[in-house]
Amino acid sequence: MVRSITPETPEVDHSFCPVYEAINVLQEKWTLHIIRSLLDGPKGFNELSRAVGGCNPATLAQRVEKLEHLGIVSKTIHSTMPPRTSYALTEAGQALQAVIEAIDRWSRQYLPAPSTI
């Protein structure tokens, strides 16, 4: 009797999993901070950068561009001198408010507050 030394490869299910896909989008650093900041209303790039805090401009531009591509953020270029760009949440972005509020409720209930020294 000959035994195989390679284990049988289990069949992988390649079906779409919406939770997996949503987590892939939202897990990127700064993404939820950007969305949370835009819940207050449209912001210019510098205003968004200050609201998010700590994110370097190249990363912020990359995240905003990806969110725009996904239809979560819209970009408007205003014809002023100099031209001004503003970013706002689309309907899909606004729908994430419930997700952010759920995270807020959970963290307030289960995570310890930072100690004040």
CSV table of all heavy atoms in Angstrom, one decimal, residues 25-56:
chain,number,residue,atom,x,y,z
A,25,VAL,N,-12.1,46.9,3.6
A,25,VAL,CA,-12.1,48.3,3.3
A,25,VAL,C,-11.9,49.2,4.6
A,25,VAL,O,-11.1,50.1,4.6
A,25,VAL,CB,-13.5,48.7,2.7
A,25,VAL,CG1,-13.6,50.2,2.6
A,25,VAL,CG2,-13.6,48.1,1.3
A,26,LEU,N,-12.6,48.8,5.6
A,26,LEU,CA,-12.6,49.7,6.8
A,26,LEU,C,-11.4,49.5,7.7
A,26,LEU,O,-11.2,50.3,8.6
A,26,LEU,CB,-13.9,49.4,7.6
A,26,LEU,CG,-15.2,49.8,6.8
A,26,LEU,CD1,-16.4,49.4,7.7
A,26,LEU,CD2,-15.2,51.2,6.4
A,27,GLN,N,-10.7,48.4,7.6
A,27,GLN,CA,-9.6,48.1,8.5
A,27,GLN,C,-8.3,49.0,8.2
A,27,GLN,O,-7.5,49.1,9.1
A,27,GLN,CB,-9.2,46.7,8.4
A,27,GLN,CG,-8.4,46.3,7.2
A,27,GLN,CD,-7.9,44.9,7.2
A,27,GLN,OE1,-7.9,44.2,8.3
A,27,GLN,NE2,-7.6,44.3,6.1
A,28,GLU,N,-8.2,49.6,7.0
A,28,GLU,CA,-7.0,50.3,6.7
A,28,GLU,C,-6.9,51.5,7.7
A,28,GLU,O,-7.9,52.2,7.9
A,28,GLU,CB,-7.1,50.8,5.3
A,28,GLU,CG,-6.9,49.7,4.3
A,28,GLU,CD,-6.7,50.2,2.9
A,28,GLU,OE1,-7.1,51.4,2.6
A,28,GLU,OE2,-6.2,49.4,2.0
A,29,LYS,N,-5.7,51.7,8.1
A,29,LYS,CA,-5.5,52.8,9.1
A,29,LYS,C,-6.0,54.1,8.5
A,29,LYS,O,-5.7,54.4,7.3
A,29,LYS,CB,-4.0,52.9,9.4
A,29,LYS,CG,-3.7,53.8,10.6
A,29,LYS,CD,-2.3,53.7,11.1
A,29,LYS,CE,-2.1,54.6,12.3
A,29,LYS,NZ,-0.7,54.4,12.8
A,30,TRP,N,-6.6,54.9,9.3
A,30,TRP,CA,-7.2,56.3,9.0
A,30,TRP,C,-8.5,56.3,8.3
A,30,TRP,O,-9.2,57.3,8.3
A,30,TRP,CB,-6.2,57.1,8.2
A,30,TRP,CG,-4.9,57.2,8.9
A,30,TRP,CD1,-3.7,56.7,8.5
A,30,TRP,CD2,-4.6,57.9,10.2
A,30,TRP,NE1,-2.7,57.0,9.4
A,30,TRP,CE2,-3.2,57.7,10.4
A,30,TRP,CE3,-5.4,58.6,11.1
A,30,TRP,CZ2,-2.6,58.3,11.6
A,30,TRP,CZ3,-4.8,59.1,12.2
A,30,TRP,CH2,-3.4,59.0,12.4
A,31,THR,N,-8.9,55.1,7.8
A,31,THR,CA,-10.2,55.1,7.0
A,31,THR,C,-11.4,55.5,7.8
A,31,THR,O,-12.1,56.4,7.5
A,31,THR,CB,-10.4,53.8,6.3
A,31,THR,OG1,-9.3,53.5,5.4
A,31,THR,CG2,-11.7,53.7,5.6
A,32,LEU,N,-11.6,54.9,9.0
A,32,LEU,CA,-12.7,55.2,9.8
A,32,LEU,C,-12.6,56.6,10.4
A,32,LEU,O,-13.6,57.3,10.6
A,32,LEU,CB,-12.9,54.2,10.9
A,32,LEU,CG,-13.5,52.9,10.5
A,32,LEU,CD1,-13.5,51.8,11.6
A,32,LEU,CD2,-14.9,53.1,9.9
A,33,HIS,N,-11.3,57.1,10.7
A,33,HIS,CA,-11.1,58.5,11.1
A,33,HIS,C,-11.6,59.5,10.1
A,33,HIS,O,-12.2,60.5,10.4
A,33,HIS,CB,-9.7,58.7,11.5
A,33,HIS,CG,-9.1,57.9,12.6
A,33,HIS,ND1,-9.5,58.1,13.9
A,33,HIS,CD2,-8.3,56.8,12.6
A,33,HIS,CE1,-8.9,57.2,14.7
A,33,HIS,NE2,-8.2,56.4,13.9
A,34,ILE,N,-11.3,59.2,8.8
A,34,ILE,CA,-11.7,60.1,7.7
A,34,ILE,C,-13.2,60.1,7.6
A,34,ILE,O,-13.8,61.2,7.6
A,34,ILE,CB,-11.1,59.6,6.4
A,34,ILE,CG1,-9.6,59.8,6.4
A,34,ILE,CG2,-11.7,60.3,5.2
A,34,ILE,CD1,-8.8,59.0,5.3
A,35,ILE,N,-13.8,59.0,7.7
A,35,ILE,CA,-15.3,58.9,7.6
A,35,ILE,C,-15.9,59.6,8.7
A,35,ILE,O,-16.9,60.4,8.6
A,35,ILE,CB,-15.8,57.4,7.5
A,35,ILE,CG1,-15.3,56.8,6.1
A,35,ILE,CG2,-17.3,57.3,7.6
A,35,ILE,CD1,-15.4,55.3,6.0
A,36,ARG,N,-15.4,59.3,10.0
A,36,ARG,CA,-16.0,60.0,11.2
A,36,ARG,C,-15.9,61.5,11.0
A,36,ARG,O,-16.8,62.2,11.4
A,36,ARG,CB,-15.2,59.5,12.4
A,36,ARG,CG,-15.7,60.1,13.7
A,36,ARG,CD,-14.9,59.7,14.9
A,36,ARG,NE,-13.5,59.9,14.7
A,36,ARG,CZ,-12.8,61.0,14.8
A,36,ARG,NH1,-13.4,62.1,15.1
A,36,ARG,NH2,-11.5,61.0,14.6
A,37,SER,N,-14.7,62.0,10.5
A,37,SER,CA,-14.6,63.4,10.4
A,37,SER,C,-15.5,64.0,9.4
A,37,SER,O,-16.0,65.1,9.6
A,37,SER,CB,-13.1,63.7,10.0
A,37,SER,OG,-12.2,63.4,11.0
A,38,LEU,N,-15.8,63.3,8.3
A,38,LEU,CA,-16.7,63.8,7.3
A,38,LEU,C,-18.2,63.7,7.6
A,38,LEU,O,-19.0,64.3,7.0
A,38,LEU,CB,-16.4,63.1,5.9
A,38,LEU,CG,-15.1,63.5,5.3
A,38,LEU,CD1,-14.8,62.6,4.0
A,38,LEU,CD2,-15.0,65.0,5.0
A,39,LEU,N,-18.5,63.0,8.7
A,39,LEU,CA,-19.9,62.9,9.2
A,39,LEU,C,-20.3,64.3,9.6
A,39,LEU,O,-21.5,64.6,9.6
A,39,LEU,CB,-20.0,61.9,10.3
A,39,LEU,CG,-20.0,60.5,9.9
A,39,LEU,CD1,-19.9,59.6,11.2
A,39,LEU,CD2,-21.3,60.2,9.1
A,40,ASP,N,-19.4,65.2,10.0
A,40,ASP,CA,-19.7,66.6,10.4
A,40,ASP,C,-20.0,67.5,9.2
A,40,ASP,O,-20.5,68.6,9.4
A,40,ASP,CB,-18.6,67.2,11.2
A,40,ASP,CG,-18.3,66.5,12.5
A,40,ASP,OD1,-19.3,65.9,13.0
A,40,ASP,OD2,-17.2,66.6,13.0
A,41,GLY,N,-19.7,67.0,8.0
A,41,GLY,CA,-20.0,67.8,6.8
A,41,GLY,C,-18.7,67.9,5.9
A,41,GLY,O,-17.7,67.4,6.3
A,42,PRO,N,-18.9,68.4,4.7
A,42,PRO,CA,-17.8,68.5,3.8
A,42,PRO,C,-16.6,69.3,4.4
A,42,PRO,O,-16.7,70.2,5.2
A,42,PRO,CB,-18.3,69.3,2.6
A,42,PRO,CG,-19.8,69.1,2.7
A,42,PRO,CD,-20.1,69.0,4.2
A,43,LYS,N,-15.4,68.9,3.9
A,43,LYS,CA,-14.2,69.5,4.4
A,43,LYS,C,-13.2,69.6,3.2
A,43,LYS,O,-13.1,68.7,2.4
A,43,LYS,CB,-13.5,68.7,5.5
A,43,LYS,CG,-14.3,68.7,6.8
A,43,LYS,CD,-13.6,68.0,7.9
A,43,LYS,CE,-14.2,68.1,9.3
A,43,LYS,NZ,-15.6,67.9,9.3
A,44,GLY,N,-12.4,70.6,3.3
A,44,GLY,CA,-11.2,70.7,2.4
A,44,GLY,C,-10.1,69.8,2.8
A,44,GLY,O,-10.2,69.3,4.0
A,45,PHE,N,-9.1,69.6,2.0
A,45,PHE,CA,-8.1,68.6,2.3
A,45,PHE,C,-7.4,69.0,3.6
A,45,PHE,O,-7.2,68.1,4.5
A,45,PHE,CB,-7.1,68.5,1.2
A,45,PHE,CG,-6.1,67.4,1.4
A,45,PHE,CD1,-6.4,66.1,1.0
A,45,PHE,CD2,-4.8,67.7,2.0
A,45,PHE,CE1,-5.5,65.1,1.2
A,45,PHE,CE2,-3.9,66.6,2.2
A,45,PHE,CZ,-4.2,65.3,1.8
A,46,ASN,N,-7.0,70.3,3.8
A,46,ASN,CA,-6.2,70.7,5.0
A,46,ASN,C,-7.1,70.6,6.2
A,46,ASN,O,-6.7,70.2,7.3
A,46,ASN,CB,-5.7,72.1,4.8
A,46,ASN,CG,-4.5,72.1,3.8
A,46,ASN,OD1,-3.8,71.1,3.6
A,46,ASN,ND2,-4.3,73.2,3.2
A,47,GLU,N,-8.4,71.0,6.1
A,47,GLU,CA,-9.3,70.9,7.2
A,47,GLU,C,-9.5,69.4,7.6
A,47,GLU,O,-9.5,69.1,8.8
A,47,GLU,CB,-10.6,71.5,6.8
A,47,GLU,CG,-11.6,71.6,7.9
A,47,GLU,CD,-13.0,72.2,7.5
A,47,GLU,OE1,-13.2,72.4,6.3
A,47,GLU,OE2,-13.8,72.4,8.4
A,48,LEU,N,-9.6,68.5,6.6
A,48,LEU,CA,-9.8,67.1,6.9
A,48,LEU,C,-8.5,66.6,7.5
A,48,LEU,O,-8.6,65.8,8.5
A,48,LEU,CB,-10.0,66.3,5.6
A,48,LEU,CG,-10.2,64.8,5.7
A,48,LEU,CD1,-11.4,64.5,6.6
A,48,LEU,CD2,-10.5,64.2,4.3
A,49,SER,N,-7.3,67.0,7.1
A,49,SER,CA,-6.1,66.6,7.7
A,49,SER,C,-6.0,67.0,9.1
A,49,SER,O,-5.6,66.1,10.0
A,49,SER,CB,-4.9,67.2,6.9
A,49,SER,OG,-3.7,66.8,7.5
A,50,ARG,N,-6.4,68.2,9.5
A,50,ARG,CA,-6.4,68.6,10.9
A,50,ARG,C,-7.4,67.8,11.7
A,50,ARG,O,-7.2,67.5,12.8
A,50,ARG,CB,-6.7,70.1,11.0
A,50,ARG,CG,-5.5,71.0,10.6
A,50,ARG,CD,-5.8,72.5,10.9
A,50,ARG,NE,-7.0,73.0,10.2
A,50,ARG,CZ,-7.0,73.5,8.9
A,50,ARG,NH1,-5.8,73.5,8.3
A,50,ARG,NH2,-8.1,74.0,8.4
A,51,ALA,N,-8.6,67.6,11.1
A,51,ALA,CA,-9.6,66.8,11.8
A,51,ALA,C,-9.2,65.4,12.1
A,51,ALA,O,-9.5,64.9,13.2
A,51,ALA,CB,-10.9,66.8,11.0
A,52,VAL,N,-8.5,64.8,11.2
A,52,VAL,CA,-8.1,63.4,11.4
A,52,VAL,C,-6.9,63.4,12.3
A,52,VAL,O,-6.9,62.5,13.2
A,52,VAL,CB,-7.7,62.7,10.0
A,52,VAL,CG1,-7.0,61.4,10.2
A,52,VAL,CG2,-9.0,62.6,9.1
A,53,GLY,N,-6.0,64.3,12.2
A,53,GLY,CA,-4.8,64.4,13.1
A,53,GLY,C,-3.9,63.2,13.0
A,53,GLY,O,-4.2,62.1,13.1
A,54,GLY,N,-2.6,63.5,12.7
A,54,GLY,CA,-1.5,62.5,12.7
A,54,GLY,C,-1.3,61.7,11.5
A,54,GLY,O,-0.4,60.9,11.4
A,55,CYS,N,-2.2,61.9,10.5
A,55,CYS,CA,-2.0,61.2,9.2
A,55,CYS,C,-1.2,62.0,8.2
A,55,CYS,O,-1.5,63.2,8.0
A,55,CYS,CB,-3.4,60.9,8.6
A,55,CYS,SG,-3.4,60.0,7.1
A,56,ASN,N,-0.2,61.4,7.7
A,56,ASN,CA,0.6,62.2,6.7
A,56,ASN,C,-0.2,62.5,5.5
A,56,ASN,O,-1.0,61.7,5.1
A,56,ASN,CB,2.0,61.6,6.5
A,56,ASN,CG,2.0,60.4,5.6
A,56,ASN,OD1,1.5,60.4,4.4
A,56,ASN,ND2,2.5,59.3,6.1
